[in-house]
PDB file of all heavy atoms in Angstrom:
ATOM      1  N   GLY A  23     -29.969  49.252  77.343  1.00 94.00           N
ATOM      2  CA  GLY A  23     -30.344  50.637  77.110  1.00 94.00           C
ATOM      3  C   GLY A  23     -31.644  50.758  76.328  1.00 94.00           C
ATOM      4  O   GLY A  23     -32.174  49.771  75.818  1.00 94.00           O
ATOM      5  N   PRO A  24     -32.162  51.958  76.220  1.00 93.00           N
ATOM      6  CA  PRO A  24     -33.428  52.184  75.508  1.00 93.00           C
ATOM      7  C   PRO A  24     -33.251  52.052  74.002  1.00 93.00           C
ATOM      8  O   PRO A  24     -32.127  52.010  73.498  1.00 93.00           O
ATOM      9  CB  PRO A  24     -33.786  53.620  75.896  1.00 93.00           C
ATOM     10  CG  PRO A  24     -32.463  54.269  76.140  1.00 93.00           C
ATOM     11  CD  PRO A  24     -31.582  53.214  76.731  1.00 93.00           C
ATOM     12  N   PHE A  25     -34.352  51.982  73.279  1.00 88.00           N
ATOM     13  CA  PHE A  25     -34.282  52.016  71.827  1.00 88.00           C
ATOM     14  C   PHE A  25     -33.654  53.331  71.389  1.00 88.00           C
ATOM     15  O   PHE A  25     -33.870  54.380  72.008  1.00 88.00           O
ATOM     16  CB  PHE A  25     -35.672  51.871  71.202  1.00 88.00           C
ATOM     17  CG  PHE A  25     -36.241  50.489  71.327  1.00 88.00           C
ATOM     18  CD1 PHE A  25     -37.336  50.261  72.145  1.00 88.00           C
ATOM     19  CD2 PHE A  25     -35.684  49.429  70.637  1.00 88.00           C
ATOM     20  CE1 PHE A  25     -37.864  48.982  72.280  1.00 88.00           C
ATOM     21  CE2 PHE A  25     -36.211  48.153  70.754  1.00 88.00           C
ATOM     22  CZ  PHE A  25     -37.297  47.925  71.588  1.00 88.00           C
ATOM     23  N   GLY A  26     -32.883  53.276  70.311  1.00 83.00           N
ATOM     24  CA  GLY A  26     -32.169  54.461  69.844  1.00 83.00           C
ATOM     25  C   GLY A  26     -33.064  55.648  69.584  1.00 83.00           C
ATOM     26  O   GLY A  26     -32.718  56.790  69.868  1.00 83.00           O
ATOM     27  N   SER A  27     -34.262  55.389  69.056  1.00 85.00           N
ATOM     28  CA  SER A  27     -35.173  56.495  68.739  1.00 85.00           C
ATOM     29  C   SER A  27     -35.663  57.204  69.997  1.00 85.00           C
ATOM     30  O   SER A  27     -36.116  58.340  69.941  1.00 85.00           O
ATOM     31  CB  SER A  27     -36.374  55.973  67.942  1.00 85.00           C
ATOM     32  OG  SER A  27     -37.063  54.977  68.683  1.00 85.00           O
ATOM     33  N   ASN A  28     -35.570  56.518  71.147  1.00 89.00           N
ATOM     34  CA  ASN A  28     -36.019  57.115  72.404  1.00 89.00           C
ATOM     35  C   ASN A  28     -34.949  57.973  73.073  1.00 89.00           C
ATOM     36  O   ASN A  28     -35.224  58.635  74.072  1.00 89.00           O
ATOM     37  CB  ASN A  28     -36.466  56.027  73.381  1.00 89.00           C
ATOM     38  CG  ASN A  28     -37.766  55.390  72.966  1.00 89.00           C
ATOM     39  OD1 ASN A  28     -38.580  55.998  72.284  1.00 89.00           O
ATOM     40  ND2 ASN A  28     -37.972  54.137  73.370  1.00 89.00           N
ATOM     41  N   ILE A  29     -33.730  57.924  72.549  1.00 90.00           N
ATOM     42  CA  ILE A  29     -32.652  58.680  73.186  1.00 90.00           C
ATOM     43  C   ILE A  29     -31.797  59.362  72.106  1.00 90.00           C
ATOM     44  O   ILE A  29     -30.602  59.542  72.253  1.00 90.00           O
ATOM     45  CB  ILE A  29     -31.808  57.753  74.091  1.00 90.00           C
ATOM     46  CG1 ILE A  29     -30.971  58.565  75.087  1.00 90.00           C
ATOM     47  CG2 ILE A  29     -30.952  56.788  73.280  1.00 90.00           C
ATOM     48  CD1 ILE A  29     -30.364  57.740  76.180  1.00 90.00           C
ATOM     49  N   SER A  30     -32.431  59.770  71.033  1.00 89.00           N
ATOM     50  CA  SER A  30     -31.728  60.400  69.914  1.00 89.00           C
ATOM     51  C   SER A  30     -31.400  61.850  70.242  1.00 89.00           C
ATOM     52  O   SER A  30     -31.822  62.397  71.268  1.00 89.00           O
ATOM     53  CB  SER A  30     -32.577  60.320  68.646  1.00 89.00           C
ATOM     54  OG  SER A  30     -33.800  61.004  68.835  1.00 89.00           O
ATOM     55  N   SER A  31     -30.668  62.486  69.352  1.00 90.00           N
ATOM     56  CA  SER A  31     -30.153  63.837  69.594  1.00 90.00           C
ATOM     57  C   SER A  31     -31.259  64.869  69.806  1.00 90.00           C
ATOM     58  O   SER A  31     -31.028  65.899  70.439  1.00 90.00           O
ATOM     59  CB  SER A  31     -29.260  64.274  68.431  1.00 90.00           C
ATOM     60  OG  SER A  31     -29.966  64.244  67.213  1.00 90.00           O
ATOM     61  N   LYS A  32     -32.463  64.590  69.330  1.00 92.00           N
ATOM     62  CA  LYS A  32     -33.534  65.576  69.497  1.00 92.00           C
ATOM     63  C   LYS A  32     -33.945  65.728  70.964  1.00 92.00           C
ATOM     64  O   LYS A  32     -34.598  66.702  71.332  1.00 92.00           O
ATOM     65  CB  LYS A  32     -34.740  65.196  68.646  1.00 92.00           C
ATOM     66  CG  LYS A  32     -35.437  63.912  69.059  1.00 92.00           C
ATOM     67  CD  LYS A  32     -36.600  63.604  68.113  1.00 92.00           C
ATOM     68  CE  LYS A  32     -37.302  62.301  68.490  1.00 92.00           C
ATOM     69  NZ  LYS A  32     -38.403  61.982  67.555  1.00 92.00           N
ATOM     70  N   PHE A  33     -33.540  64.773  71.814  1.00 94.00           N
ATOM     71  CA  PHE A  33     -33.872  64.856  73.236  1.00 94.00           C
ATOM     72  C   PHE A  33     -32.734  65.458  74.066  1.00 94.00           C
ATOM     73  O   PHE A  33     -32.883  65.622  75.278  1.00 94.00           O
ATOM     74  CB  PHE A  33     -34.207  63.466  73.787  1.00 94.00           C
ATOM     75  CG  PHE A  33     -35.415  62.837  73.156  1.00 94.00           C
ATOM     76  CD1 PHE A  33     -35.293  61.711  72.361  1.00 94.00           C
ATOM     77  CD2 PHE A  33     -36.674  63.376  73.349  1.00 94.00           C
ATOM     78  CE1 PHE A  33     -36.406  61.119  71.781  1.00 94.00           C
ATOM     79  CE2 PHE A  33     -37.798  62.801  72.768  1.00 94.00           C
ATOM     80  CZ  PHE A  33     -37.662  61.671  71.979  1.00 94.00           C
ATOM     81  N   PHE A  34     -31.601  65.760  73.418  1.00 94.00           N
ATOM     82  CA  PHE A  34     -30.457  66.261  74.183  1.00 94.00           C
ATOM     83  C   PHE A  34     -30.708  67.700  74.635  1.00 94.00           C
ATOM     84  O   PHE A  34     -31.298  68.499  73.903  1.00 94.00           O
ATOM     85  CB  PHE A  34     -29.179  66.193  73.361  1.00 94.00           C
ATOM     86  CG  PHE A  34     -28.750  64.784  72.999  1.00 94.00           C
ATOM     87  CD1 PHE A  34     -27.835  64.557  71.973  1.00 94.00           C
ATOM     88  CD2 PHE A  34     -29.263  63.684  73.673  1.00 94.00           C
ATOM     89  CE1 PHE A  34     -27.447  63.279  71.633  1.00 94.00           C
ATOM     90  CE2 PHE A  34     -28.879  62.390  73.336  1.00 94.00           C
ATOM     91  CZ  PHE A  34     -27.971  62.200  72.316  1.00 94.00           C
ATOM     92  N   VAL A  35     -30.238  67.996  75.858  1.00 95.00           N
ATOM     93  CA  VAL A  35     -30.360  69.338  76.425  1.00 95.00           C
ATOM     94  C   VAL A  35     -28.981  69.823  76.846  1.00 95.00           C
ATOM     95  O   VAL A  35     -28.013  69.054  76.873  1.00 95.00           O
ATOM     96  CB  VAL A  35     -31.334  69.352  77.625  1.00 95.00           C
ATOM     97  CG1 VAL A  35     -32.746  68.994  77.177  1.00 95.00           C
ATOM     98  CG2 VAL A  35     -30.867  68.410  78.732  1.00 95.00           C
ATOM     99  N   PHE A  36     -28.896  71.110  77.171  1.00 93.00           N
ATOM    100  CA  PHE A  36     -27.608  71.699  77.526  1.00 93.00           C
ATOM    101  C   PHE A  36     -27.060  71.108  78.824  1.00 93.00           C
ATOM    102  O   PHE A  36     -25.870  70.857  78.954  1.00 93.00           O
ATOM    103  CB  PHE A  36     -27.749  73.216  77.657  1.00 93.00           C
ATOM    104  CG  PHE A  36     -26.455  73.904  78.028  1.00 93.00           C
ATOM    105  CD1 PHE A  36     -25.424  74.024  77.115  1.00 93.00           C
ATOM    106  CD2 PHE A  36     -26.279  74.407  79.310  1.00 93.00           C
ATOM    107  CE1 PHE A  36     -24.226  74.643  77.459  1.00 93.00           C
ATOM    108  CE2 PHE A  36     -25.090  75.025  79.662  1.00 93.00           C
ATOM    109  CZ  PHE A  36     -24.071  75.147  78.741  1.00 93.00           C
ATOM    110  N   ASP A  37     -27.922  70.881  79.789  1.00 91.00           N
ATOM    111  CA  ASP A  37     -27.489  70.318  81.073  1.00 91.00           C
ATOM    112  C   ASP A  37     -28.642  69.494  81.634  1.00 91.00           C
ATOM    113  O   ASP A  37     -29.809  69.791  81.393  1.00 91.00           O
ATOM    114  CB  ASP A  37     -27.099  71.428  82.046  1.00 91.00           C
ATOM    115  CG  ASP A  37     -26.306  70.894  83.237  1.00 91.00           C
ATOM    116  OD1 ASP A  37     -25.828  69.756  83.151  1.00 91.00           O
ATOM    117  OD2 ASP A  37     -26.184  71.618  84.247  1.00 91.00           O
ATOM    118  N   GLY A  38     -28.299  68.442  82.366  1.00 94.00           N
ATOM    119  CA  GLY A  38     -29.340  67.578  82.906  1.00 94.00           C
ATOM    120  C   GLY A  38     -28.741  66.277  83.390  1.00 94.00           C
ATOM    121  O   GLY A  38     -27.723  66.268  84.089  1.00 94.00           O
ATOM    122  N   ILE A  39     -29.327  65.140  83.002  1.00 96.00           N
ATOM    123  CA  ILE A  39     -28.832  63.821  83.391  1.00 96.00           C
ATOM    124  C   ILE A  39     -27.846  63.331  82.335  1.00 96.00           C
ATOM    125  O   ILE A  39     -28.190  63.254  81.151  1.00 96.00           O
ATOM    126  CB  ILE A  39     -29.994  62.814  83.522  1.00 96.00           C
ATOM    127  CG1 ILE A  39     -31.063  63.336  84.484  1.00 96.00           C
ATOM    128  CG2 ILE A  39     -29.456  61.465  83.989  1.00 96.00           C
ATOM    129  CD1 ILE A  39     -30.576  63.570  85.898  1.00 96.00           C
ATOM    130  N   PRO A  40     -26.595  63.011  82.723  1.00 96.00           N
ATOM    131  CA  PRO A  40     -25.607  62.567  81.728  1.00 96.00           C
ATOM    132  C   PRO A  40     -25.925  61.184  81.170  1.00 96.00           C
ATOM    133  O   PRO A  40     -26.410  60.306  81.893  1.00 96.00           O
ATOM    134  CB  PRO A  40     -24.290  62.554  82.521  1.00 96.00           C
ATOM    135  CG  PRO A  40     -24.693  62.427  83.950  1.00 96.00           C
ATOM    136  CD  PRO A  40     -26.033  63.086  84.082  1.00 96.00           C
ATOM    137  N   VAL A  41     -25.653  61.016  79.883  1.00 96.00           N
ATOM    138  CA  VAL A  41     -25.892  59.745  79.193  1.00 96.00           C
ATOM    139  C   VAL A  41     -24.560  59.036  78.996  1.00 96.00           C
ATOM    140  O   VAL A  41     -23.618  59.586  78.418  1.00 96.00           O
ATOM    141  CB  VAL A  41     -26.562  59.979  77.822  1.00 96.00           C
ATOM    142  CG1 VAL A  41     -26.774  58.645  77.096  1.00 96.00           C
ATOM    143  CG2 VAL A  41     -27.885  60.714  77.993  1.00 96.00           C
ATOM    144  N   ILE A  42     -24.464  57.807  79.487  1.00 96.00           N
ATOM    145  CA  ILE A  42     -23.250  57.005  79.331  1.00 96.00           C
ATOM    146  C   ILE A  42     -23.232  56.392  77.934  1.00 96.00           C
ATOM    147  O   ILE A  42     -24.172  55.697  77.531  1.00 96.00           O
ATOM    148  CB  ILE A  42     -23.176  55.890  80.386  1.00 96.00           C
ATOM    149  CG1 ILE A  42     -23.119  56.490  81.798  1.00 96.00           C
ATOM    150  CG2 ILE A  42     -21.955  54.997  80.148  1.00 96.00           C
ATOM    151  CD1 ILE A  42     -23.220  55.461  82.909  1.00 96.00           C
ATOM    152  N   ARG A  43     -22.147  56.661  77.204  1.00 95.00           N
ATOM    153  CA  ARG A  43     -21.962  56.107  75.863  1.00 95.00           C
ATOM    154  C   ARG A  43     -20.622  55.385  75.799  1.00 95.00           C
ATOM    155  O   ARG A  43     -19.882  55.308  76.780  1.00 95.00           O
ATOM    156  CB  ARG A  43     -22.021  57.231  74.822  1.00 95.00           C
ATOM    157  CG  ARG A  43     -23.359  57.974  74.807  1.00 95.00           C
ATOM    158  CD  ARG A  43     -23.351  59.116  73.802  1.00 95.00           C
ATOM    159  NE  ARG A  43     -22.403  60.166  74.180  1.00 95.00           N
ATOM    160  CZ  ARG A  43     -22.046  61.184  73.398  1.00 95.00           C
ATOM    161  NH1 ARG A  43     -22.543  61.260  72.171  1.00 95.00           N
ATOM    162  NH2 ARG A  43     -21.201  62.103  73.823  1.00 95.00           N
ATOM    163  N   GLY A  44     -20.291  54.863  74.632  1.00 93.00           N
ATOM    164  CA  GLY A  44     -19.059  54.096  74.483  1.00 93.00           C
ATOM    165  C   GLY A  44     -17.811  54.885  74.819  1.00 93.00           C
ATOM    166  O   GLY A  44     -16.823  54.329  75.311  1.00 93.00           O
ATOM    167  N   ASN A  45     -17.822  56.213  74.578  1.00 94.00           N
ATOM    168  CA  ASN A  45     -16.640  57.020  74.854  1.00 94.00           C
ATOM    169  C   ASN A  45     -16.382  57.163  76.350  1.00 94.00           C
ATOM    170  O   ASN A  45     -15.313  57.643  76.747  1.00 94.00           O
ATOM    171  CB  ASN A  45     -16.785  58.414  74.226  1.00 94.00           C
ATOM    172  CG  ASN A  45     -17.972  59.181  74.767  1.00 94.00           C
ATOM    173  OD1 ASN A  45     -19.114  58.769  74.559  1.00 94.00           O
ATOM    174  ND2 ASN A  45     -17.730  60.275  75.462  1.00 94.00           N
ATOM    175  N   ASN A  46     -17.321  56.744  77.191  1.00 95.00           N
ATOM    176  CA  ASN A  46     -17.114  56.795  78.639  1.00 95.00           C
ATOM    177  C   ASN A  46     -16.519  55.504  79.185  1.00 95.00           C
ATOM    178  O   ASN A  46     -16.209  55.430  80.378  1.00 95.00           O
ATOM    179  CB  ASN A  46     -18.433  57.084  79.355  1.00 95.00           C
ATOM    180  CG  ASN A  46     -19.052  58.395  78.929  1.00 95.00           C
ATOM    181  OD1 ASN A  46     -20.127  58.409  78.332  1.00 95.00           O
ATOM    182  ND2 ASN A  46     -18.383  59.505  79.192  1.00 95.00           N
ATOM    183  N   LEU A  47     -16.370  54.499  78.320  1.00 95.00           N
ATOM    184  CA  LEU A  47     -15.769  53.227  78.722  1.00 95.00           C
ATOM    185  C   LEU A  47     -14.454  53.040  77.987  1.00 95.00           C
ATOM    186  O   LEU A  47     -14.105  53.793  77.091  1.00 95.00           O
ATOM    187  CB  LEU A  47     -16.720  52.067  78.409  1.00 95.00           C
ATOM    188  CG  LEU A  47     -18.130  52.168  78.994  1.00 95.00           C
ATOM    189  CD1 LEU A  47     -18.925  50.914  78.631  1.00 95.00           C
ATOM    190  CD2 LEU A  47     -18.100  52.364  80.489  1.00 95.00           C
ATOM    191  N   SER A  48     -13.715  52.019  78.385  1.00 92.00           N
ATOM    192  CA  SER A  48     -12.386  51.815  77.814  1.00 92.00           C
ATOM    193  C   SER A  48     -12.085  50.333  77.695  1.00 92.00           C
ATOM    194  O   SER A  48     -12.684  49.503  78.390  1.00 92.00           O
ATOM    195  CB  SER A  48     -11.329  52.493  78.695  1.00 92.00           C
ATOM    196  OG  SER A  48     -10.021  52.199  78.249  1.00 92.00           O
ATOM    197  N   LEU A  49     -11.144  50.012  76.818  1.00 90.00           N
ATOM    198  CA  LEU A  49     -10.607  48.655  76.737  1.00 90.00           C
ATOM    199  C   LEU A  49      -9.347  48.508  77.576  1.00 90.00           C
ATOM    200  O   LEU A  49      -8.765  47.429  77.643  1.00 90.00           O
ATOM    201  CB  LEU A  49     -10.292  48.292  75.275  1.00 90.00           C
ATOM    202  CG  LEU A  49     -11.499  48.018  74.369  1.00 90.00           C
ATOM    203  CD1 LEU A  49     -11.056  47.901  72.923  1.00 90.00           C
ATOM    204  CD2 LEU A  49     -12.234  46.760  74.800  1.00 90.00           C
TER     205      LEU A  49
END
Side-chain angles (χ1 to χ4, degrees):
F25 288 112
S27 59
N28 289 334
I29 198 167
S30 61
S31 58
K32 66 182 179 182
F33 297 113
F34 296 163
V35 296
F36 180 72
D37 195 15
I39 305 299
V41 179
I42 298 173
R43 299 178 294 170
N45 61 295
N46 301 115
L47 305 182
S48 174
L49 287 171

